Amino acid sequence: MARSVIEEKLQAARVLAEALAADDNGSIDSMYIAGSLTAGLGNPTSDADLFVLYADESAMGDDVTQYNVNGHRVDVERYTLAFVEDAVETVTSFELRRDNLTDLHKLPGKLDFVCRLYTSETVAPSPALDGFKQRIDASVATIRQVAVNYSAIAVNGHLEDFLGASVDGDFETAALVGQELTAYAGKAVAAASGDLYYSKKWVYKQLDRTPVAGFPKDTFVEFQRGNWTDRGDRAAEELVFFVQTCVAAAQLLSRQGVSLDAWPWAGPAEPAADGLWRNPSYNVLGQREGILLHWELRRQLMLRDPAAFVWALCDGRSAQGVVDAVQGLAEHVPALKTMTPERVERLLESLRSRDLVGDAPYSVLGTI
């Protein structure tokens, strides 16, 4: 029943496209249907969105118009080819650097537009539209990295509020902010798995349809629904660590073009007596040179991928446990093929010396 209603909505958008084309005086360049329905995420109450592209802005008319087509709402959004060119070029060429972190905050509208175009259905083609879609298809790896980095910077934007509320004992507010933190962590996992769609409201559907072997979905649900607050400070610390784990795994493996199935999500059944712990205060951002660890207003440092993998695997494992995990990942990650136990040990010493790894769990709440 639901599928038939969704198909009716898509057909309504196709009928409207035909009507608009029939009435057009040559000003329309192309049309496509996009949004949650064509992305396979929508439901029977979702609206169909018809995108109409123009070469000449003066021919556009209203930016957005709603139509009733056989009882179904169809939203028509109008854009110029120049706008599409700018959006596609900005997203497909974006490269994160230390000096342009704030530029990630300017990307949501364009990233959303490009992800919708990526999952769209063309109803009136043109060379220009075909060219845009070909460029997007050729740049999926770049778009995936942009999407993961956007999720990471969104996590960074909510972390301070979460920590402040938790330290205050205001766990109702912390639960609300924690829902956002965890949703963006899930979006990073989905994007790294190749499921590119901007809106976070579909994150549960994305994680279900692009499952990651071993991913702790129960933990994700507990934190995202705010079911942790009766456990107080300890659970707040666990939520931050879980979010950092998700983003770190997404960053590291997506950069390598490796499935997140390879990540040892389970960790040790119990923290080792001599367990090692990474510092959870850092946001994890991907750059060409490696992984940028960013602690807002305090510290930034770059780790090359091998060191970043070692750091990320310090989740209560012993040094030998980290070695074993690196060797397991090396079966999938070419950058880790040369990682001998001795080199892992040296990296662990270096990470300890820089206070990125410790012999006991860090308290992120204790930094406030």
Side-chain angles (χ1 to χ4, degrees):
M1 177 64 177
R3 280 308 324 164
S4 63
V5 173
I6 290 172
E7 181 55 34
E8 288 176 8
K9 288 174 174 285
L10 291 171
Q11 184 58 28
R14 297 179 192 118
V15 168
L16 179 57
E18 291 178 2
L20 293 177
D23 290 342
D24 180 46
N25 60 4
S27 60
I28 293 176
D29 175 82
S30 49
M31 289 182 278
Y32 61 91
I33 306 168
S36 62
L37 294 181
T38 58
L41 295 167
N43 56 49
T45 65
S46 301
D47 299 318
D49 299 318
L50 178 63
F51 288 69
V52 184
L53 306 185
Y54 295 82
D56 183 0
E57 184 175 6
S58 65
M60 281 177 40
D62 294 335
D63 291 345
V64 181
T65 310
Q66 291 181 3
Y67 291 83
N68 185 329
V69 182
N70 300 326
H72 296 292
R73 171 178 158 179
V74 179
D75 292 338
V76 173
E77 299 186 29
R78 299 175 176 86
Y79 296 92
T80 63
L81 295 179
F83 173 89
V84 183
E85 170 62 35
D86 179 61
V88 171
E89 177 62 22
T90 297
V91 174
T92 60
S93 66
F94 186 79
E95 184 175 328
L96 189 67
R97 306 183 307 274
R98 288 192 188 203
D99 62 355
N100 72 347
L101 295 186
T102 56
D103 287 352
L104 279 171
H105 295 293
K106 304 173 186 176
L107 286 181
K110 293 176 181 178
L111 180 60
D112 184 19
F113 187 91
V114 168
C115 287
R116 287 172 182 255
L117 182 51
Y118 176 60
T119 57
S120 66
E121 173 190 321
T122 298
V123 289
S126 75
L129 178 57
D130 292 345
F132 292 139
K133 297 187 82 167
Q134 289 166 9
R135 286 164 60 189
I136 291 171
D137 288 343
S139 303
V140 167
T142 298
I143 299 168
R144 184 176 65 226
Q145 187 66 57
V146 172
V148 174
N149 271 329
Y150 177 74
S151 292
I153 208 71
V155 164
N156 190 68
H158 288 90
L159 184 58
E160 184 176 334
D161 289 339
F162 178 81
L163 296 177
S166 297
V167 167
D168 243 6
D170 180 5
F171 290 112
E172 289 81 7
T173 299
L176 286 171
V177 183
Q179 288 179 316
E180 293 289 299
L181 281 172
T182 312
Y184 278 116
K187 289 294 292 183
V189 169
S193 300
D195 197 332
L196 296 174
Y197 197 75
Y198 174 78
S199 174
K200 66 179 182 294
K201 70 182 177 183
W202 304 111
V203 64
Y204 279 89
K205 274 196 168 185
Q206 290 182 281
L207 292 174
D208 285 343
R209 76 176 185 180
T210 314
V212 173
F215 179 72
K217 181 72 178 297
D218 290 347
T219 303
F220 173 84
V221 171
E222 178 191 10
F223 287 141
Q224 207 287 315
R225 294 182 180 174
N227 296 336
W228 56 272
T229 55
D230 59 338
R231 296 193 290 117
D233 289 357
R234 179 179 176 183
E237 300 270 12
E238 291 172 358
L239 186 153
V240 174
F241 200 85
F242 174 75
V243 167
Q244 189 190 61
T245 297
C246 291
V247 176
Q251 293 282 20
L252 286 165
L253 292 180
S254 66
R255 287 166 54 77
Q256 303 291 328
V258 173
S259 167
L260 268 68
D261 292 347
W263 190 259
W265 292 100
E270 291 290 336
D274 55 349
L276 299 171
W277 299 88
R278 68 177 183 268
N279 191 328
S281 295
Y282 290 93
N283 195 13
V284 186
L285 296 158
Q287 298 187 321
R288 175 180 293 186
E289 299 84 358
I291 295 297
L292 179 67
L293 297 184
H294 175 77
W295 188 350
E296 189 75 11
L297 298 179
R298 299 206 190 183
R299 191 182 182 195
Q300 275 188 357
L301 60 142
M302 178 71 69
L303 295 180
R304 301 294 181 182
D305 283 359
F309 272 100
V310 171
W311 172 80
L313 289 166
C314 291
D315 55 1
R317 302 169 202 265
S318 65
Q320 184 58 50
V322 175
V323 169
D324 293 343
V326 169
Q327 292 179 335
L329 281 167
E331 297 177 9
H332 310 276
V333 181
L336 299 180
K337 296 288 187 185
T338 60
M339 290 287 284
T340 63
E342 293 75 19
R343 187 178 177 199
V344 174
E345 291 279 4
R346 289 197 299 271
L347 286 172
L348 285 172
E349 281 304 313
S350 175
L351 293 168
R352 281 194 190 98
S353 71
R354 290 188 279 177
D355 197 31
L356 297 175
V357 168
D359 297 323
Y362 289 82
S363 172
V364 68
L365 299 185
T367 66
I368 303 303

